[in-house]
Amino acid sequence: MPLIHINLRAGKRQAYRQAIFDGLYRAMREALNVPEDDQFMTITEHEPANFRYGNGYGIARNADVVYIQITVFDTRTAEQKKALFKRTAELLGENPGIRPENVFVQVLDAARENWSVGHGLAQFA
């Protein structure tokens, strides 16, 4: 049950944005074994004046950096997360062609009782 928020600079074509969705969905299916059709993702685009990046941690990023925040059940292992990071960078490199240096991913763990996916019910508590 991942929930994904993607942030990038405004101006990318629809096909570019859709490729990000598709790549992330595939990476999650492969690395985290998420169920089929578990696609809860948003993209927020930012004007250049509202989008900043840096070259921290010795990584040379540019204005094409994509910030990806993934909230998941707190049951994922460190190995699964590492596989997700690697596979995400690979797939987004293939399509839409994002440099691996520009794939910035954060995984947030949330306890199962913190999720309601509809009808106001605590489906996983």
Side-chain angles (χ1 to χ4, degrees), residues 3 17 30 32 39 56 64 66 79 87:
L3 177 61
R17 296 188 313 271
E30 293 175 9
L32 302 182
Q39 300 189 57
D64 288 329
V66 176
E79 292 75 25
R87 195 63 178 132

Side-chain angles (χ1 to χ4, degrees), residues 13-43:
R13 295 182 356 255
Q14 180 178 344
Y16 184 96
R17 296 188 313 271
Q18 292 303 311
I20 293 173
F21 281 144
D22 294 343
L24 280 167
Y25 176 62
R26 182 172 167 195
M28 288 189 311
R29 296 267 298 149
E30 293 175 9
L32 302 182
N33 300 312
V34 300
E36 186 174 342
D37 205 31
D38 192 333
Q39 300 189 57
F40 301 96
M41 301 182 249
T42 63
I43 289 181

Side-chain angles (χ1 to χ4, degrees), residues 38-108:
D38 192 333
Q39 300 189 57
F40 301 96
M41 301 182 249
T42 63
I43 289 181
T44 303
E45 297 183 88
H46 303 273
E47 294 301 321
N50 298 322
F51 190 83
R52 186 178 281 190
Y53 61 93
N55 293 325
Y57 307 99
I59 299 174
R61 296 173 192 86
N62 63 30
D64 288 329
V65 67
V66 176
Y67 299 122
I68 302 165
Q69 186 176 67
I70 305 171
T71 305
V72 295
F73 290 149
D74 60 359
T75 57
R76 306 294 196 228
T77 66
E79 292 75 25
Q80 285 177 303
K81 293 173 189 176
K82 288 177 187 177
L84 175 66
F85 298 149
K86 184 176 190 292
R87 195 63 178 132
T88 297
E90 291 170 351
L91 290 170
L92 296 185
E94 292 172 14
N95 189 24
I98 300 171
R99 293 175 40 232
E101 296 88 349
N102 284 331
V103 179
F104 190 113
V105 182
Q106 177 191 32
V107 173
L108 302 173

Side-chain angles (χ1 to χ4, degrees), residues 106-123:
Q106 177 191 32
V107 173
L108 302 173
D109 294 318
R112 295 172 72 90
E113 65 267 14
N114 293 335
W115 295 79
S116 174
V117 298
H119 298 292
L121 302 175
Q123 284 90 352

